[in-house]
């Protein structure tokens, strides 16, 4: 390495020719083509329209939310519920349902199912506690 800051030729050169240093560059990975996606996985879930509780087992005769007791067979829980449409439904309903949060017998009813990203680590991959995680760090 040179003692000069900018490695320019000038009056302080000793006249010796310097040999170029052959520094091997590290081999880069393949840079052609699209990059690999590192996106979280997704899963489909049903949630209560009132409180957002995850509804795990929904049987055909739909009852109430286990947490807030909201009627699940209601317009607000339906896939076709849309506040900007006529009668607040995307299906051709013959008459308006007055109370959207009460149980009704609509023939177009379908439970709303959403696709959500998996943002948490599965419980099998989590350490049992902080002490075990710390000890696993320094295992021999």
């Amino acid at each position: 390495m040179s003692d000069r800051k900018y490695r320019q030729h000038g009056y302080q050169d000793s006249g010796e020719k310097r040999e170029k240093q052959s520094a091997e560059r590290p081999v880069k990975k393949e840079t052609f083509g699209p990059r690999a996606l590192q996106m979280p996985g997704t899963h489909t879930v049903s949630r209560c329209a009132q409180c957002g509780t995850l509804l795990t087992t929904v049987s055909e005769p739909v009852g109430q939310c286990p947490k807030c007791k909201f009627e699940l067979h209601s317009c607000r829980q339906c896939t076709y519920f849309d506040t900007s449409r006529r009668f607040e439904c995307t299906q051709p309903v013959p008459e308006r349902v007055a109370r959207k949060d009460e149980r009704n017998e609509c023939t177009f009813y379908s439970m709303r199912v959403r696709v959500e990203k998996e943002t948490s680590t599965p419980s099998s991959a989590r350490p049992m506690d902080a002490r075990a995680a710390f000890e696993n760090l320094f295992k021999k």
Side-chain angles (χ1 to χ4, degrees):
M1 190 113 193
S2 175
D3 59 337
R4 289 175 294 180
K5 185 174 182 180
Y6 298 109
R7 296 185 187 167
Q8 295 176 353
H9 297 285
Y11 70 94
Q12 292 182 346
D13 284 342
S14 61
E16 300 174 7
K17 297 261 183 182
R18 288 185 296 166
E19 295 180 20
K20 290 186 178 181
Q21 295 176 354
S22 61
E24 292 184 23
R25 293 185 181 181
V27 177
K28 291 185 179 181
K29 292 182 181 178
E30 187 66 39
T31 57
F32 298 107
R35 292 185 181 177
L37 293 177
Q38 297 177 352
M39 298 190 59
T42 58
H43 64 286
T44 56
V45 295
S46 291
R47 293 193 178 270
C48 175
Q50 186 72 22
C51 66
T53 302
L54 184 65
L55 303 172
T56 53
T57 57
V58 178
S59 58
E60 189 56 38
V62 182
Q64 295 179 339
C65 172
K67 185 175 180 183
C68 67
K69 305 297 182 207
F70 180 74
E71 287 292 337
L72 297 178
H73 196 293
S74 63
C75 290
R76 286 189 56 204
Q77 192 67 37
C78 182
T79 302
Y80 305 113
F81 180 67
D82 185 6
T83 57
S84 65
R85 301 293 299 259
R86 181 176 185 244
F87 299 143
E88 297 180 311
C89 187
T90 59
Q91 297 298 314
V93 291
E95 60 185 42
R96 182 177 180 270
V97 177
R99 301 278 310 203
K100 304 295 183 190
D101 54 352
E102 291 181 356
R103 184 173 183 80
N104 59 40
E105 298 303 321
C106 181
T107 57
F108 296 112
Y109 177 79
S110 173
M111 176 71 80
R112 180 179 294 160
V113 178
R114 296 181 178 176
V115 177
E116 294 183 354
K117 291 184 179 178
E118 294 176 345
T119 56
S120 63
T121 307
S123 60
S124 62
R126 291 186 203 143
M128 298 304 278
D129 62 340
R131 170 70 70 184
F134 180 76
E135 289 173 357
N136 288 338
L137 266 176
F138 299 103
K139 273 188 176 177
K140 289 185 179 181

